[in-house]
Amino acid sequence: MSIAFMAVTTSSMAQSLNKMNWLNEPQQWEIKDGKTLVMDVPAKTDFWRISHYGFTVDDGPFYYATYGGEFEAKVKITGNYVTTFDQMGLMLRIDHENWIKAGVEYVDGKQNVSAVVTHRTRSVVQLPDAPRSIWIKAVRRLDAVEIFFSRDDKEYIMIRTCWLQDNCPVMVGLMGACPDGKGFTATFEEFKVTPLADQRRLEWAKRQMNK
């Protein structure tokens, strides 16, 4: 009974945009109706660590709250993409050496859905068209994170499963980057973080019931 109660009470929790923090706060940003974040992503900013190119950059805007345990994070993203490598989406971040970013990256006039993981490679899916908006979802379970995208917030397609240290707090939020361009406008809507019942706790409870 207690396990069921926990699942019901946590499923309705959502993150308030007015109670979050900035890493690399941009000059221009606003929260509309408490539900939508619009920011001007500054020029020459990025999140990248060593892989493939050999350099590290950690100066993109990131608006976040901190969560422990297991959770599902989801957001609708709309970008006025202009220059190759303009990007926006979700970020899960333990520190400057351990993070995941997932969202849209604009490359040669095409929208790519991508996921980048520090210490590892990235995953990329090129979209055949240019949807106005897409949804990005990340599910953290134990030491794994699953990354999904959707065009309608109904049917989700997985693009990546990756490792992320468990049993430690994670900064979860909204990121943008513009490594080569002059900046662009990024709009984030319907951001929600839903805590999930701890998998180990559920397995322990099941074992107790079977004794």
Side-chain angles (χ1 to χ4, degrees):
M1 183 175 181
S2 61
I3 297 298
F5 178 75
M6 180 173 63
V8 171
T9 55
T10 58
S11 64
S12 62
M13 296 175 64
Q15 176 62 49
S16 170
L17 289 178
N18 294 308
K19 299 180 179 180
M20 295 172 64
N21 305 291
W22 278 108
L23 173 67
N24 306 320
E25 180 179 353
Q27 289 187 348
Q28 300 293 327
W29 64 276
E30 64 175 320
I31 295 174
K32 297 182 177 180
D33 301 322
K35 299 179 181 180
T36 300
L37 170 67
V38 181
M39 66 169 156
D40 290 344
V41 180
K44 313 305 180 186
T45 57
D46 200 4
F47 292 103
W48 192 262
R49 184 165 184 83
I50 302 174
S51 298
H52 187 68
Y53 299 113
F55 60 80
T56 294
V57 185
D58 200 51
D59 59 4
F62 175 44
Y63 194 52
Y64 71 91
T66 301
Y67 286 83
E70 302 177 10
F71 56 79
E72 175 186 295
K74 184 172 67 172
V75 68
K76 178 183 178 183
I77 60 175
T78 307
N80 182 24
Y81 311 112
V82 178
T83 307
T84 287
F85 302 133
D86 284 356
Q87 58 195 269
M88 64 181 296
L90 282 174
M91 174 174 272
L92 280 61
R93 180 184 177 103
I94 295 175
D95 55 32
H96 68 286
E97 294 182 332
N98 298 276
W99 49 258
I100 300 166
K101 64 177 181 179
V104 167
E105 183 177 25
Y106 187 71
V107 180
D108 296 331
K110 301 287 186 179
Q111 290 188 29
N112 293 336
V113 179
S114 68
V116 178
V117 184
T118 52
H119 309 296
R120 289 163 178 81
T121 58
R122 64 176 182 169
S123 301
V124 179
V125 176
Q126 186 179 96
L127 300 178
D129 55 355
R132 180 179 181 274
S133 306
I134 68 167
W135 284 257
I136 298 292
K137 181 169 69 175
V139 180
R140 184 193 194 195
R141 282 290 197 186
L142 302 177
D143 64 352
V145 175
E146 297 175 332
I147 306 295
F148 305 81
F149 80 95
S150 174
R151 293 171 175 266
D152 56 10
D153 195 26
K154 296 177 181 178
E155 180 180 352
Y156 278 84
I157 299 172
M158 182 187 292
I159 63 168
R160 183 69 183 263
T161 300
C162 52
W163 178 86
L164 187 69
Q165 181 181 342
D166 63 348
N167 288 325
C168 70
V170 177
M171 293 172 275
V172 184
L174 314 171
M175 59 73 59
C178 181
D180 293 345
K182 297 181 179 179
F184 72 100
T185 302
T187 301
F188 302 84
E189 302 170 89
E190 303 174 20
F191 177 54
K192 184 177 182 179
V193 180
T194 304
L196 303 174
D198 184 84
Q199 194 69 32
R200 293 187 181 92
R201 168 74 174 129
L202 294 176
E203 292 172 357
W204 176 87
K206 184 176 180 180
R207 290 195 299 269
Q208 300 309 305
M209 293 177 62
N210 292 332
K211 285 185 177 179

